[in-house]
Amino acid sequence: VLTLKTQLALATASAILLSTFVAPVEALATQNCGGASWYALSSRTASGERMNASLLTAAHRSLKFGTKVKVTNRNNGKAVIVRINDRGPFIKGRVLDLSKAAAHRIGMVSSGTAHVCFQPVG
């Protein structure tokens, strides 16, 4: 039989231990990685606005329009915050299509594609 003081100490230690594992798992759950490409068209996006290659925007298959995400190029560590305003990409393995301006900020214009990770912000 454990005393109340011992039970309380064990509960506190368990909570501290659990929090050290839960926080990183939650962070991973909100971060997605995969391929990204860029595009610069003048047509309308799925949200109804005209595509502007000089704005920091991106296409994602399901994130709500207006969602801001931080995109990090895994090859060089450069990051940019973009606003989701279109749907896509529709190529297997790709998770985002970036505007040319966003692609330029993370150093992937010349390569055309990059391995990125992204997570919603704000």
Side-chain angles (χ1 to χ4, degrees), residues 17 25 30 69 81 85 107 109 114:
L17 184 61
V25 170
T30 60
V69 296
I81 294 177
N85 74 336
V109 171

Side-chain angles (χ1 to χ4, degrees), residues 47-98:
S47 66
E49 64 187 86
R50 182 150 313 273
M51 169 61 176
N52 183 339
S54 64
L55 297 179
L56 300 177
T57 58
H60 185 270
R61 289 185 197 96
S62 61
L63 285 174
K64 183 178 176 183
F65 293 137
T67 300
K68 291 187 179 182
V69 296
K70 180 180 179 182
V71 182
T72 304
N73 183 334
R74 297 283 304 263
N75 298 325
N76 61 21
K78 292 182 180 181
V80 65
I81 294 177
V82 298
R83 179 179 51 87
I84 302 299
N85 74 336
D86 203 2
R87 292 291 172 233
F90 301 107
I91 296 175
K92 187 177 180 176
R94 293 199 188 155
V95 294
L96 291 171
D97 276 336
L98 302 173

